[in-house]
Amino acid sequence: MEASAGLVAGSHNRNELVVIRREPGGGGPGAAARLAAEAPCQICGDDVGVGFDGEPFVACNECAFPVCRACYEYERREGSQACPQCRTRYRRLKGCPRVAGDEDEDGVDDLEGEFGLRHGGEEGGDGGGDPRDIAASMLRAHMSYGRGDAHHPAAGFGAAPGVPLLTNGQMVDDIPPEQHALVPSYMGGGGGGGKRIHPLPFADPSLPVQPRSMDPSKDLAAYGYGSVAWSDRMERWKKNQESLQHARSDGGGDWDGDDADLPLMDEARQPLSRKVPIPSSRINPYRMIIVIRLVVLGFFFHYRVMHPVNDAFALWLISVICEIWFAMSWILDQFPKWLPIERETYLDRLSLRFDKEGRPSQLAPVDFFVSTVDPSKEPPLVTANTVLSILAVDYPVEKVSCYVSDDGAAMLTFEALSETSEFAKKWVPFCKKFNIEPRAPEWYFQQKIDYLKDKVAASFVRDRRAMKREYEEFKVRINALVAKAQKVPEEGWTMQDGSPWPGNNVRDHPGMIQVFLGQSGGHDVEGNELPRLVYVSREKRPGYNHHKKAGAMNALVRVSAVLSNAPYLLNLDCDHYINNSKAIKEAMCFMMDPLVGKKVCYVQFPQRFDGIDRHDRYANRNVVFFDINMKGLDGIQGPIYVGTGCVFRRQALYGYDAPKTKKPPSRTCNCWPKWCLSCFCCRNKSKKKTTKPKTEKKKRLFFKKAENPSPAYALGEIEEGVPGADVEKAGIVNHQKLEKKFGQSSVFVASTLLENGGTLKDASPASLLKEAIHVISCGYEDKTDWGKEIGWIYGSITEDILTGFKMHCHGWRSIYCIPKRPAFKGSAPLNLSDRLHQVLRWALGSVEIFFSKHCPLWYGYGGGLKFLERFSYINSIVYPWTSIPLLAYCTLPAICLLTGKFITPEVRKTIY
């Protein structure tokens, strides 16, 4: 068997890779600032302009909804004081007068200017506020992007057929541009030399608005602001908004506004999801039954304890202990179901806000993880269907990256993935052209339904017939690879250039990375780009504990952070395919919601299975767990993580605490506003404020800014008042602390500072690939927090329960999402032995957690874990122990019959 595509593998001594060309760069944050300044105000239609400091005026720091300064001040003075899009209360900006409700603070909110954080940007520092520039400046003096020679020209990732193989450590510089091994991260054609710039939302330069400059030194009346016409327009807009809200609250009515875009804008700023409580008529009877059972239990144990059996005291004591255990188990199982809820998403609002037609998509990138180990137990055809369903998902192509972890370093898996990448060039456009479901070909062609339903294209039948023939040929090629892999040559597998396959020894091989598809390295048959597809096999050496699946998932976290660094991750088992192509958008309705998304660590989908018989004799559906228990947990702090079908926030996997909920500003004075400045208490406050040292003011302002969940500030422990070059010195100290936590990789450490994802600007793709090989080395996690506080947690074969438990202890909450069409489907155990083996594995994992330091009985107190949520975790780790009292209680009747002694007192009748 020969490898059909290029492979990047690390050597035994040092990791090597292919280095290729570089695309011209340019542009930068300055261009984004100019676009922001040219965006028209979405209220009055005039230019947004710039503020007093010369920077583009941004009224709302949460969503950057384009509003000019005059409308911003009018909204704060006369309106609702909130952003029209995200409904976040406007904060007072520099040069703006205070209004009722402003927080009591000194000076202005200009932290970046006070602490010298604006530096290193392009065009005179226009881009100093970019988190990438801040992260780079903090680590500039210490960071080296990649190891070895990182100055070779390189550009992007993505493999094409015929890429020269490299296993001997030689660098290749003369590869033709059409044959490259990497695809550029977030770079492409566009103004300013190839870097893509995303304008502010709703900034449409094609609107018929004449641009005009705005001089802050002039009076606003010179530009028409404050005039009668402008005031009338503002009043008309406010009335239209009120009438629209009134019509919606009444469940109908017509909107008679003048601007046709305002209803869409109002719809776009509505919540992306909502809770649907269970009706009281359904849940209250269940709660009453729980309370009644508790009362009955109280009377029962009062009788049992107060009436011991002295003749059979040992049997009586054992029975009472068993009964108490059963009662406690029942309580642990019932009370987390006290507040069940359901959820509903609005995909149309998500599209209006982040994915408007004709404009660049603002949806967040997502990295998909697929894990596999043994191709003999996990057939390559099943894994191929999972990968194909990911590549064809209904999501922007440039936002999707699929990483396949082969923890068995099997040549068969590598070759099957190569064949899959070729077939995807035909399958993906077919799925998107006809909008088929599901997008895994094996299950799509097996559907016993009318496949012509809702199809209107005349060419559909012809194209479907041709695609089915293509898939059958693809299956034959995969089956041929499986048959060939049954006989392993004595000398092991070899690649096209004659060198041995690096993974011939499963327990001793270097790390391997191969990018099959990418943004510029793979196009479908219609010439459209395909999502990135990356093969990863981490390094294995004797004597190292590789931590099985948890270790493989952590390796994928680091590789993806270096190559694409999407802010969200989705992990799937190799036998779980995407059954609903819009499932990722369902998750984004929670993750990207400005109201609830910041505190969500993951969105868990229920597990659904194919091939279950009608009676479900092995209970594979787990109806009680997935349809009852998990809904109850969603009403508390969120469902537990079940190992697959889960969308994570990358920052939560890094062990960060959840952002603190900001308390609404409260009035400290009950005086009439007109006389507030002259009252006694306010005079005392003003005196106290003036006597505070300037350093104390800055310190208080800085720590208020540090409450922002952005890791660029939360992690960087910048000393107070560090100006200019001292920021770099503070960055070096912080970088050393972060390396002890995350490992010895400057590129990866810097990527952890980017809350919204994206790769560092100064890192070349060649150095990124070198670093990706480095972070999957077997000794990378030594003396770090990986598996302890970061990533998937080690210590149990049920690493999923531990990982979700740690996140909840950090104050995060999770979401349970049940779309109408199941999001993912997998393969269920088909016989009793497989089912028993699965249950035994879960039980052993729970016992391991019970004896570990992360046991919910004693871990996580004082954190963010809620009381009832702790009940659910305790129940998940103590249920295997129920087998012991159950066995003892079932044995007691036989013992009583043999000995003639009973566990209940004898009832004697008195005859008068």
Side-chain angles (χ1 to χ4, degrees):
M1 184 182 298
E2 297 179 347
S4 59
L7 176 72
V8 179
S11 64
H12 284 256
N13 298 323
R14 191 59 197 148
N15 306 308
E16 309 294 348
L17 59 123
V18 179
V19 181
I20 24 86
R21 59 187 176 87
R22 172 180 299 177
E23 294 181 357
R34 289 193 297 272
L35 285 175
E38 295 173 1
C41 175
Q42 297 299 312
I43 296 179
C44 66
D46 292 297
D47 289 343
V48 172
V50 296
F52 287 139
D53 54 359
E55 297 292 331
F57 181 77
V58 179
C60 178
N61 292 326
E62 298 293 332
C63 65
F65 185 72
V67 175
C68 64
R69 189 184 190 89
C71 295
Y72 161 78
E73 293 183 351
Y74 180 87
E75 186 67 20
R76 277 171 45 84
R77 186 177 65 255
E78 304 291 344
S80 62
Q81 300 184 359
C83 173
Q85 174 170 274
C86 65
R87 294 299 182 186
T88 302
R89 187 183 186 278
Y90 277 139
R91 298 187 61 186
R92 188 175 71 87
L93 302 180
K94 182 177 181 180
C96 297
R98 291 183 181 273
V99 297
D102 278 352
E103 297 179 7
D104 186 15
E105 58 187 28
D106 298 320
V108 295
D109 300 329
D110 191 18
L111 298 178
E112 291 84 356
E114 289 184 23
F115 291 94
L117 297 179
R118 289 185 190 143
H119 62 85
E122 299 178 9
E123 298 182 13
D126 289 345
D130 194 329
R132 302 186 188 184
D133 294 328
I134 296 174
S137 65
M138 290 174 63
L139 308 177
R140 183 182 300 131
H142 189 83
M143 188 184 307
S144 129
Y145 292 105
R147 287 161 171 73
D149 185 9
H151 301 290
H152 291 270
F157 315 32
V163 175
L165 302 176
L166 180 67
T167 55
N168 56 2
Q170 298 297 324
M171 309 303 293
V172 181
D173 294 331
D174 55 349
I175 299 178
E178 64 272 12
Q179 295 181 356
H180 49 279
L182 294 180
V183 174
S185 178
Y186 295 98
M187 301 185 65
K195 294 192 178 181
R196 182 173 303 155
I197 301 173
H198 296 283
L200 296 174
F202 299 98
D204 190 354
S206 64
L207 291 175
V209 179
Q210 296 180 356
R212 51 180 171 175
S213 60
M214 183 174 180
D215 186 359
S217 63
K218 293 184 179 181
D219 186 50
L220 293 177
Y223 293 101
Y225 299 104
S227 63
V228 176
W230 178 78
S231 300
D232 291 342
R233 194 189 322 169
M234 291 296 301
E235 291 295 328
R236 187 166 60 253
W237 177 80
K238 287 184 61 179
K239 291 180 180 179
N240 290 336
Q241 290 295 319
E242 293 173 359
S243 63
L244 177 63
Q245 295 293 341
H246 180 70
R248 288 190 175 173
S249 63
D250 292 342
D254 297 329
W255 190 83
D256 55 353
D258 297 334
D259 193 343
D261 289 337
L262 287 178
L264 293 178
M265 292 164 49
D266 186 72
E267 181 71 17
R269 61 175 176 255
Q270 294 296 320
L272 301 179
S273 63
R274 74 181 183 98
K275 295 180 182 179
V276 183
I278 306 296
S280 300
S281 59
R282 293 174 55 190
I283 192 62
N284 284 343
Y286 178 73
R287 293 171 177 167
M288 292 176 60
I289 292 175
I290 292 180
V291 173
I292 293 173
R293 287 179 175 177
L294 280 176
V295 174
V296 173
L297 277 177
F299 284 111
F300 173 77
F301 282 113
H302 179 269
Y303 172 78
R304 293 286 285 143
V305 173
M306 300 304 296
H307 296 79
V309 181
N310 297 324
D311 294 340
F313 186 80
L315 296 178
W316 170 84
L317 182 62
I318 293 175
S319 66
V320 170
I321 293 175
C322 293
E323 289 163 355
I324 292 176
W325 180 275
F326 297 150
M328 292 301 300
S329 299
W330 177 80
I331 292 174
L332 291 175
D333 185 60
Q334 294 298 316
F335 272 88
K337 305 174 186 177
W338 192 262
L339 299 170
I341 62 170
E342 294 178 345
R343 294 185 183 268
E344 183 176 89
T345 58
Y346 303 101
L347 297 182
D348 51 347
R349 295 178 184 175
L350 181 74
S351 299
L352 283 174
R353 183 176 297 184
F354 298 108
D355 197 21
K356 294 196 72 172
E357 187 176 357
R359 298 183 183 179
S361 176
Q362 302 294 325
L363 291 173
V366 181
D367 288 339
F368 293 75
F369 293 169
V370 179
S371 57
T372 182
V373 180
D374 188 356
S376 63
K377 298 179 181 179
E378 300 162 339
L381 186 62
V382 175
T383 304
N385 274 270
T386 300
V387 172
L388 289 170
S389 67
I390 293 173
L391 298 179
V393 71
D394 185 7
Y395 208 74
V397 172
E398 68 277 7
K399 309 284 187 179
V400 176
S401 298
C402 178
Y403 295 84
V404 180
S405 171
D406 178 19
D407 221 27
M411 186 74 166
L412 175 58
T413 303
F414 180 86
E415 287 288 351
L417 207 59
S418 178
E419 291 286 349
T420 303
S421 65
E422 291 300 316
F423 179 70
K425 298 177 181 179
K426 304 174 184 177
W427 174 252
V428 172
F430 171 75
C431 293
K432 294 187 176 181
K433 180 180 179 181
F434 299 109
N435 194 27
I436 67 170
E437 295 285 1
R439 299 190 177 181
E442 182 70 20
W443 302 104
Y444 170 70
F445 290 121
Q446 283 187 7
Q447 290 183 115
K448 296 180 181 180
I449 61 174
D450 182 12
Y451 64 85
L452 295 178
K453 185 179 180 180
D454 300 328
K455 299 299 185 242
V456 296
S459 61
F460 172 69
V461 175
R462 181 179 64 254
D463 291 352
R464 184 183 186 276
R465 186 181 299 114
M467 184 52 59
K468 187 173 183 180
R469 183 172 60 253
E470 292 283 352
Y471 178 64
E472 290 173 351
E473 294 176 359
F474 168 73
K475 289 176 65 176
V476 170
R477 292 194 296 270
I478 296 295
N479 292 334
L481 291 175
V482 175
K484 191 175 182 179
Q486 301 301 320
K487 299 179 181 179
V488 182
E490 294 182 0
E491 65 279 5
W493 302 111
T494 58
M495 296 189 291
Q496 287 179 348
D497 60 353
S499 59
W501 167 250
N504 280 327
N505 188 342
V506 177
R507 295 179 176 82
D508 187 5
H509 65 83
M512 295 176 283
I513 295 177
Q514 171 64 59
V515 185
F516 289 101
L517 298 174
Q519 290 173 320
S520 62
H523 295 78
D524 59 29
V525 293
E526 297 180 358
N528 300 318
E529 291 184 358
L530 289 171
R532 183 179 301 172
L533 176 60
V534 184
Y535 169 87
V536 179
S537 181
R538 58 180 174 145
E539 183 183 18
K540 293 287 187 69
R541 300 295 180 204
Y544 286 90
N545 188 357
H546 301 102
H547 302 288
K548 299 180 180 179
K549 180 182 177 181
M553 298 304 296
N554 286 337
L556 287 185
V557 172
R558 297 191 293 270
V559 168
S560 63
V562 171
L563 297 183
S564 56
N565 197 31
Y568 302 106
L569 315 172
L570 167 63
N571 84 291
L572 291 172
D573 290 341
C574 63
D575 60 344
H576 275 72
Y577 64 90
I578 298 180
N579 184 65
N580 182 353
S581 61
K582 291 182 172 56
I584 314 307
K585 292 184 178 180
E586 296 272 357
M588 290 300 108
C589 286
F590 301 106
M591 288 295 195
M592 301 185 70
D593 194 308
L595 299 178
V596 300
K598 291 294 183 181
K599 296 199 68 173
V600 177
C601 58
Y602 61 82
V603 177
Q604 178 66 62
F605 293 87
Q607 291 187 19
R608 308 299 187 199
F609 300 97
D610 290 308
I612 298 178
D613 60 278
R614 185 177 62 179
H615 302 290
D616 191 16
R617 66 187 70 182
Y618 303 127
N620 286 312
R621 289 193 177 92
N622 288 329
V623 176
V624 174
F625 178 76
F626 285 114
D627 295 334
I628 299 178
N629 292 5
M630 296 287 266
K631 289 182 181 180
L633 293 177
D634 198 13
I636 305 172
Q637 194 175 351
I640 63 177
Y641 169 44
V642 297
T644 184
C646 187
V647 179
F648 286 96
R649 183 182 300 275
R650 186 183 288 270
Q651 295 295 317
L653 279 172
Y654 288 159
Y656 297 149
D657 290 335
K660 303 297 182 182
T661 304
K662 294 183 179 179
K663 297 181 179 179
S666 58
R667 292 182 59 183
T668 57
C669 176
N670 294 323
C671 305
W672 186 255
K674 183 176 180 180
W675 308 104
C676 182
L677 293 178
S678 60
C679 71
F680 180 77
C681 60
C682 292
R683 283 202 304 269
N684 288 343
K685 289 179 182 177
S686 62
K687 290 180 181 179
K688 290 181 181 180
K689 280 197 283 186
T690 56
T691 57
K692 285 184 179 179
K694 187 175 181 181
T695 55
E696 285 293 325
K697 297 177 183 178
K698 288 188 176 182
K699 183 176 181 181
R700 183 167 59 87
L701 287 173
F702 176 75
F703 280 105
K704 183 179 178 182
K705 179 71 175 179
E707 292 176 1
N708 189 301
S710 174
Y713 298 101
L715 288 180
E717 299 173 0
I718 303 177
E719 297 179 2
E720 174 190 349
V722 180
D726 291 342
V727 175
E728 296 184 4
K729 186 183 298 182
I732 296 174
V733 176
N734 291 309
H735 178 74
Q736 293 173 348
K737 294 180 180 178
L738 292 175
E739 279 195 343
K740 292 181 180 179
K741 179 178 181 180
F742 291 105
Q744 299 293 321
S745 172
S746 298
V747 176
F748 175 74
V749 168
S751 72
T752 63
L753 302 176
L754 304 176
E755 181 185 15
N756 296 322
T759 55
L760 296 175
K761 297 178 180 179
D762 299 335
S764 67
S767 64
L768 291 181
L769 189 56
K770 278 189 176 182
E771 207 67 24
I773 291 289
H774 170 60
V775 297
I776 60 175
S777 59
C778 56
Y780 181 82
E781 297 181 354
D782 291 347
K783 299 180 180 180
T784 66
D785 288 343
W786 283 101
K788 304 171 185 175
E789 300 294 334
I790 303 173
W792 272 255
I793 306 301
Y794 303 151
S796 172
I797 56 178
T798 54
E799 70 288 331
D800 46 3
I801 296 178
L802 269 181
T803 303
F805 174 67
K806 290 283 287 189
M807 292 183 186
H808 285 142
C809 288
H810 281 285
W812 296 94
R813 76 150 295 134
S814 54
I815 297 291
Y816 195 51
C817 180
I818 310 180
K820 293 181 179 178
R821 179 181 178 88
F824 311 100
K825 282 191 174 182
S827 302
L830 300 179
N831 52 60
L832 182 60
S833 62
D834 290 345
R835 178 61 174 166
L836 292 177
H837 183 270
Q838 185 183 61
V839 174
L840 178 62
R841 179 179 177 274
W842 294 342
L844 290 177
S846 298
V847 173
E848 289 175 339
I849 297 175
F850 183 85
F851 287 111
S852 70
K853 70 173 185 178
H854 294 118
C855 179
L857 286 169
W858 50 73
Y859 182 86
Y861 288 96
L865 189 65
K866 294 186 177 180
F867 186 68
L868 289 180
E869 190 79 9
R870 184 181 298 277
F871 268 24
S872 68
Y873 277 108
I874 293 175
N875 184 51
S876 67
I877 60 107
V878 302
Y879 80 90
W881 299 102
T882 306
S883 59
I884 297 176
L886 184 63
L887 180 63
Y889 203 74
C890 292
T891 308
L892 286 177
I895 297 177
C896 291
L897 290 175
L898 293 176
T899 59
K901 298 179 180 180
F902 298 95
I903 59 176
T904 57
E906 182 179 354
V907 178
R908 298 179 180 177
K909 294 182 179 180
T910 305
I911 301 175
Y912 295 98

PDB file of all heavy atoms in Angstrom, residues 190-206:
ATOM      1  N   GLY A 190      -8.350  40.417  -1.353  1.00  0.00           N
ATOM      2  CA  GLY A 190      -9.087  41.539  -0.824  1.00  0.00           C
ATOM      3  C   GLY A 190      -8.247  42.770  -0.811  1.00  0.00           C
ATOM      4  O   GLY A 190      -7.094  42.794  -1.171  1.00  0.00           O
ATOM      5  N   GLY A 191      -8.847  43.849  -0.456  1.00  0.00           N
ATOM      6  CA  GLY A 191      -8.126  45.095  -0.429  1.00  0.00           C
ATOM      7  C   GLY A 191      -7.036  45.097   0.588  1.00  0.00           C
ATOM      8  O   GLY A 191      -7.056  44.460   1.599  1.00  0.00           O
ATOM      9  N   GLY A 192      -6.017  45.873   0.297  1.00  0.00           N
ATOM     10  CA  GLY A 192      -4.935  46.021   1.245  1.00  0.00           C
ATOM     11  C   GLY A 192      -3.952  44.894   1.228  1.00  0.00           C
ATOM     12  O   GLY A 192      -3.237  44.675   2.166  1.00  0.00           O
ATOM     13  N   GLY A 193      -3.840  44.129   0.150  1.00  0.00           N
ATOM     14  CA  GLY A 193      -2.792  43.156   0.061  1.00  0.00           C
ATOM     15  C   GLY A 193      -3.137  41.794   0.518  1.00  0.00           C
ATOM     16  O   GLY A 193      -2.287  41.006   0.838  1.00  0.00           O
ATOM     17  N   GLY A 194      -4.387  41.437   0.596  1.00  0.00           N
ATOM     18  CA  GLY A 194      -4.724  40.046   0.814  1.00  0.00           C
ATOM     19  C   GLY A 194      -5.317  39.714   2.142  1.00  0.00           C
ATOM     20  O   GLY A 194      -5.767  38.624   2.346  1.00  0.00           O
ATOM     21  N   LYS A 195      -5.359  40.617   3.106  1.00  0.00           N
ATOM     22  CA  LYS A 195      -5.956  40.279   4.397  1.00  0.00           C
ATOM     23  C   LYS A 195      -7.424  40.664   4.383  1.00  0.00           C
ATOM     24  O   LYS A 195      -7.789  41.755   3.995  1.00  0.00           O
ATOM     25  CB  LYS A 195      -5.236  40.992   5.539  1.00  0.00           C
ATOM     26  CG  LYS A 195      -3.806  40.487   5.697  1.00  0.00           C
ATOM     27  CD  LYS A 195      -3.213  40.970   6.984  1.00  0.00           C
ATOM     28  CE  LYS A 195      -1.808  40.418   7.156  1.00  0.00           C
ATOM     29  NZ  LYS A 195      -1.201  40.835   8.400  1.00  0.00           N
ATOM     30  N   ARG A 196      -8.222  39.749   4.821  1.00  0.00           N
ATOM     31  CA  ARG A 196      -9.655  39.968   4.790  1.00  0.00           C
ATOM     32  C   ARG A 196     -10.067  40.830   5.962  1.00  0.00           C
ATOM     33  O   ARG A 196      -9.701  40.589   7.097  1.00  0.00           O
ATOM     34  CB  ARG A 196     -10.375  38.627   4.849  1.00  0.00           C
ATOM     35  CG  ARG A 196     -11.877  38.743   4.778  1.00  0.00           C
ATOM     36  CD  ARG A 196     -12.482  37.371   4.671  1.00  0.00           C
ATOM     37  NE  ARG A 196     -11.944  36.692   3.503  1.00  0.00           N
ATOM     38  CZ  ARG A 196     -11.889  35.381   3.406  1.00  0.00           C
ATOM     39  NH1 ARG A 196     -12.327  34.637   4.377  1.00  0.00           N
ATOM     40  NH2 ARG A 196     -11.399  34.814   2.317  1.00  0.00           N
ATOM     41  N   ILE A 197     -10.854  41.843   5.673  1.00  0.00           N
ATOM     42  CA  ILE A 197     -11.331  42.761   6.691  1.00  0.00           C
ATOM     43  C   ILE A 197     -12.842  42.672   6.747  1.00  0.00           C
ATOM     44  O   ILE A 197     -13.506  42.810   5.728  1.00  0.00           O
ATOM     45  CB  ILE A 197     -10.891  44.206   6.395  1.00  0.00           C
ATOM     46  CG1 ILE A 197      -9.352  44.292   6.335  1.00  0.00           C
ATOM     47  CG2 ILE A 197     -11.433  45.171   7.431  1.00  0.00           C
ATOM     48  CD1 ILE A 197      -8.859  45.616   5.886  1.00  0.00           C
ATOM     49  N   HIS A 198     -13.372  42.441   7.918  1.00  0.00           N
ATOM     50  CA  HIS A 198     -14.818  42.350   8.073  1.00  0.00           C
ATOM     51  C   HIS A 198     -15.332  43.688   8.573  1.00  0.00           C
ATOM     52  O   HIS A 198     -14.971  44.130   9.648  1.00  0.00           O
ATOM     53  CB  HIS A 198     -15.187  41.244   9.068  1.00  0.00           C
ATOM     54  CG  HIS A 198     -14.781  39.892   8.591  1.00  0.00           C
ATOM     55  ND1 HIS A 198     -15.483  39.217   7.635  1.00  0.00           N
ATOM     56  CD2 HIS A 198     -13.725  39.113   8.907  1.00  0.00           C
ATOM     57  CE1 HIS A 198     -14.897  38.053   7.398  1.00  0.00           C
ATOM     58  NE2 HIS A 198     -13.836  37.982   8.159  1.00  0.00           N
ATOM     59  N   PRO A 199     -16.172  44.373   7.799  1.00  0.00           N
ATOM     60  CA  PRO A 199     -16.709  45.647   8.263  1.00  0.00           C
ATOM     61  C   PRO A 199     -17.679  45.455   9.405  1.00  0.00           C
ATOM     62  O   PRO A 199     -18.064  44.347   9.737  1.00  0.00           O
ATOM     63  CB  PRO A 199     -17.409  46.200   7.010  1.00  0.00           C
ATOM     64  CG  PRO A 199     -17.784  44.981   6.231  1.00  0.00           C
ATOM     65  CD  PRO A 199     -16.687  43.979   6.493  1.00  0.00           C
ATOM     66  N   LEU A 200     -18.060  46.567   9.973  1.00  0.00           N
ATOM     67  CA  LEU A 200     -19.036  46.517  11.060  1.00  0.00           C
ATOM     68  C   LEU A 200     -20.366  45.990  10.546  1.00  0.00           C
ATOM     69  O   LEU A 200     -20.680  46.124   9.364  1.00  0.00           O
ATOM     70  CB  LEU A 200     -19.232  47.925  11.637  1.00  0.00           C
ATOM     71  CG  LEU A 200     -17.995  48.527  12.307  1.00  0.00           C
ATOM     72  CD1 LEU A 200     -18.282  49.969  12.691  1.00  0.00           C
ATOM     73  CD2 LEU A 200     -17.602  47.737  13.521  1.00  0.00           C
ATOM     74  N   PRO A 201     -21.187  45.410  11.402  1.00  0.00           N
ATOM     75  CA  PRO A 201     -22.480  44.903  10.948  1.00  0.00           C
ATOM     76  C   PRO A 201     -23.359  46.024  10.429  1.00  0.00           C
ATOM     77  O   PRO A 201     -23.345  47.135  10.935  1.00  0.00           O
ATOM     78  CB  PRO A 201     -23.066  44.265  12.207  1.00  0.00           C
ATOM     79  CG  PRO A 201     -22.323  44.876  13.324  1.00  0.00           C
ATOM     80  CD  PRO A 201     -20.959  45.169  12.815  1.00  0.00           C
ATOM     81  N   PHE A 202     -24.127  45.728   9.399  1.00  0.00           N
ATOM     82  CA  PHE A 202     -25.060  46.632   8.782  1.00  0.00           C
ATOM     83  C   PHE A 202     -24.365  47.831   8.125  1.00  0.00           C
ATOM     84  O   PHE A 202     -24.980  48.851   7.882  1.00  0.00           O
ATOM     85  CB  PHE A 202     -26.095  47.161   9.793  1.00  0.00           C
ATOM     86  CG  PHE A 202     -26.916  46.090  10.400  1.00  0.00           C
ATOM     87  CD1 PHE A 202     -26.600  45.573  11.644  1.00  0.00           C
ATOM     88  CD2 PHE A 202     -27.992  45.556   9.717  1.00  0.00           C
ATOM     89  CE1 PHE A 202     -27.366  44.580  12.205  1.00  0.00           C
ATOM     90  CE2 PHE A 202     -28.755  44.551  10.284  1.00  0.00           C
ATOM     91  CZ  PHE A 202     -28.441  44.067  11.512  1.00  0.00           C
ATOM     92  N   ALA A 203     -23.060  47.733   7.862  1.00  0.00           N
ATOM     93  CA  ALA A 203     -22.357  48.812   7.190  1.00  0.00           C
ATOM     94  C   ALA A 203     -22.374  48.531   5.702  1.00  0.00           C
ATOM     95  O   ALA A 203     -21.560  47.770   5.203  1.00  0.00           O
ATOM     96  CB  ALA A 203     -20.927  48.927   7.710  1.00  0.00           C
ATOM     97  N   ASP A 204     -23.299  49.099   4.996  1.00  0.00           N
ATOM     98  CA  ASP A 204     -23.464  48.849   3.567  1.00  0.00           C
ATOM     99  C   ASP A 204     -23.082  50.104   2.806  1.00  0.00           C
ATOM    100  O   ASP A 204     -23.831  51.092   2.782  1.00  0.00           O
ATOM    101  CB  ASP A 204     -24.907  48.455   3.261  1.00  0.00           C
ATOM    102  CG  ASP A 204     -25.054  47.950   1.835  1.00  0.00           C
ATOM    103  OD1 ASP A 204     -24.060  48.029   1.096  1.00  0.00           O
ATOM    104  OD2 ASP A 204     -26.153  47.488   1.477  1.00  0.00           O
ATOM    105  N   PRO A 205     -21.895  50.145   2.191  1.00  0.00           N
ATOM    106  CA  PRO A 205     -21.474  51.347   1.473  1.00  0.00           C
ATOM    107  C   PRO A 205     -22.355  51.658   0.278  1.00  0.00           C
ATOM    108  O   PRO A 205     -22.303  52.757  -0.252  1.00  0.00           O
ATOM    109  CB  PRO A 205     -20.036  50.999   1.036  1.00  0.00           C
ATOM    110  CG  PRO A 205     -19.621  49.865   1.892  1.00  0.00           C
ATOM    111  CD  PRO A 205     -20.875  49.111   2.187  1.00  0.00           C
ATOM    112  N   SER A 206     -23.193  50.710  -0.162  1.00  0.00           N
ATOM    113  CA  SER A 206     -24.022  50.952  -1.341  1.00  0.00           C
ATOM    114  C   SER A 206     -25.263  51.758  -1.024  1.00  0.00           C
ATOM    115  O   SER A 206     -26.028  52.091  -1.926  1.00  0.00           O
ATOM    116  CB  SER A 206     -24.422  49.606  -1.958  1.00  0.00           C
ATOM    117  OG  SER A 206     -25.226  48.875  -1.048  1.00  0.00           O
TER     118      SER A 206
END
